[in-house]
Amino acid sequence: MKLIIAIVQDKDASQLSEQFIDANIRATKLSTTGGFLKAGNTTYMIGIDEKRVDEVLTMVKESSHSREEFMTPPVNLDASMEDTTAYPVKVQVGGATVFVLPIEKFKQF
Amino acid sequence: MKLIIAIVQDKDASQLSEQFIDANIRATKLSTTGGFLKAGNTTYMIGIDEKRVDEVLTMVKESSHSREEFMTPPVNLDASMEDTTAYPVKVQVGGATVFVLPIEKFKQF
Amino acid sequence: MKLIIAIVQDKDASQLSEQFIDANIRATKLSTTGGFLKAGNTTYMIGIDEKRVDEVLTMVKESSHSREEFMTPPVNLDASMEDTTAYPVKVQVGGATVFVLPIEKFKQF
Ligand code: NI
Ligand code: NI
Ligand code: NI
């Protein structure tokens, strides 16, 4: 058994939670802030068999990895007519940090 | 020293907190959700001497282990007269998950 | 890499957060209660290169260590005239508990 601690952005958490449920992986969720990721984030604690660690890492990577998305910024109403067209711009979203920790004992009561 | 992370149901947490205080065990409480236990849950972090690990495990087991309780369901007002008697039914309550982690350094300032 | 878990009093957290930012140390903050410290407390999780562990420990120690401060208690309005002068009294503030944990894998996506 290993303990996986995964920190993801809030916006990626619900999709990841669903994936964990589908894969019968029991994850405890902590509400966390700041630091690793600028936006609000969610931390998962997962006790998992050593053989499934890479499976969990892949799930986190696929649903939460850092990536660029196009976002249309709000139109600036103070600008002159020429500037009012809002062009989509690239923004960085997502990103995840994962720790895999050794466990000496794991008990379920 | 070891770090114990114990996840218990909210309904079992106050009794467990009292036991920790009585035994002079300092536990930091995190509010957590979902995953290991369907209901709201509470996570404790406890730094403890190796010799007392089993004592803590016993406390968690005794106050939080999975067990059946009898619960009387609410009477269904839409049912016919014959069905209005509410019989107590068995429900599963409690349950705890505990990780014991190795520590490289433990400091108190 | 190591995982540092640091539990400090809420009143010391904002200064410590600033120090982490200045030193380019990414810390994830958990809201925690009770146990190690009587007052509300804040828990930081920090993934850090082994070479910088002592630097983090020093930061936590410097901003959060247990210390005495003078506090002027509120005047007791029910007391006789002779007792109404409030003298500053020493109170214990701060205190921190830090765990340094081994990591088997550390991933950023
Ligand atoms: Ni992708
Ligand atoms: Ni029992
Ligand atoms: Ni000092």
Side-chain angles (χ1 to χ4, degrees):
Chain A
M1 294 293 293
K2 300 294 169 192
L3 174 61
I4 296 179
I5 296 177
I7 304 161
V8 307
Q9 279 199 355
D10 284 344
K11 65 171 291 188
D12 293 326
S14 62
Q15 197 205 321
L16 187 54
S17 292
E18 259 179 57
Q19 281 195 47
F20 287 150
I21 291 166
D22 290 350
N24 205 26
I25 290 166
R26 296 191 293 175
T28 297
K29 244 166 75 175
L30 311 168
S31 182
T32 48
T33 55
F36 282 108
L37 308 161
K38 301 279 185 254
N41 54 56
T42 296
T43 296
Y44 292 94
M45 292 192 301
I46 301 156
I48 196 91
D49 193 281
E50 202 154 356
K51 292 173 200 156
R52 297 191 73 188
V53 166
D54 286 342
E55 184 188 342
V56 174
L57 292 177
T58 301
M59 280 179 192
V60 175
K61 183 179 179 178
E62 282 312 300
S63 61
S64 312
H65 66 135
S66 181
R67 59 204 182 271
E68 286 176 328
E69 279 179 8
F70 282 93
M71 194 196 78
T72 304
V75 172
N76 182 355
L77 295 175
D78 291 337
S80 67
M81 284 299 283
E82 290 97 319
D83 293 333
T84 51
T85 315
Y87 293 99
V89 293
K90 271 190 197 170
V91 290
Q92 193 79 7
V93 297
T97 299
V98 189
F99 302 99
V100 181
L101 306 178
I103 294 178
E104 292 194 356
K105 271 186 198 174
F106 174 73
K107 296 276 183 188
Q108 283 184 295
F109 299 122
Chain B
M1 291 295 292
K2 300 293 170 192
L3 174 60
I4 296 178
I5 296 178
I7 305 161
V8 307
Q9 281 200 353
D10 284 344
K11 65 171 291 188
D12 293 327
S14 61
Q15 198 204 320
L16 187 54
S17 292
E18 260 180 56
Q19 281 194 48
F20 287 150
I21 293 166
D22 289 349
N24 204 26
I25 290 166
R26 295 193 294 175
T28 296
K29 245 166 73 175
L30 312 168
S31 182
T32 48
T33 55
F36 282 108
L37 308 162
K38 301 279 185 256
N41 55 57
T42 296
T43 295
Y44 292 94
M45 292 191 302
I46 300 155
I48 196 92
D49 193 280
E50 201 153 359
K51 292 174 200 153
R52 297 191 72 188
V53 167
D54 286 341
E55 183 189 342
V56 173
L57 292 177
T58 301
M59 279 179 192
V60 175
K61 182 179 180 178
E62 283 312 301
S63 62
S64 312
H65 67 135
S66 181
R67 59 206 182 268
E68 286 176 328
E69 277 179 9
F70 283 94
M71 194 196 77
T72 304
V75 171
N76 181 354
L77 294 175
D78 293 336
S80 66
M81 284 300 282
E82 289 96 321
D83 292 332
T84 51
T85 316
Y87 294 99
V89 294
K90 271 188 197 171
V91 291
Q92 194 78 9
V93 297
T97 300
V98 189
F99 303 97
V100 181
L101 306 178
I103 294 178
E104 292 194 356
K105 272 187 197 170
F106 174 74
K107 296 275 182 188
Q108 284 184 294
F109 298 121
Chain C
M1 293 292 293
K2 300 294 169 192
L3 174 60
I4 297 179
I5 297 177
I7 305 160
V8 308
Q9 281 200 353
D10 284 344
K11 67 172 290 188
D12 292 327
S14 62
Q15 198 205 320
L16 187 53
S17 292
E18 260 180 58
Q19 281 195 47
F20 287 150
I21 291 165
D22 289 350
N24 204 25
I25 290 165
R26 295 192 293 175
T28 297
K29 244 167 74 174
L30 311 168
S31 181
T32 48
T33 55
F36 282 109
L37 308 161
K38 301 280 187 254
N41 54 57
T42 296
T43 296
Y44 293 93
M45 292 191 302
I46 300 155
I48 196 92
D49 193 280
E50 200 153 358
K51 291 175 200 152
R52 297 190 73 187
V53 166
D54 286 341
E55 184 189 341
V56 174
L57 292 177
T58 301
M59 281 180 191
V60 175
K61 182 179 180 179
E62 282 314 301
S63 62
S64 312
H65 67 134
S66 181
R67 60 207 181 268
E68 286 176 330
E69 279 180 7
F70 282 93
M71 194 196 76
T72 305
V75 171
N76 181 355
L77 295 175
D78 292 335
S80 67
M81 284 299 283
E82 289 96 320
D83 292 333
T84 52
T85 316
Y87 293 100
V89 293
K90 270 188 196 168
V91 289
Q92 194 80 8
V93 298
T97 299
V98 189
F99 303 98
V100 181
L101 305 179
I103 293 178
E104 292 195 355
K105 271 186 197 172
F106 173 74
K107 296 277 181 187
Q108 282 184 296
F109 300 122

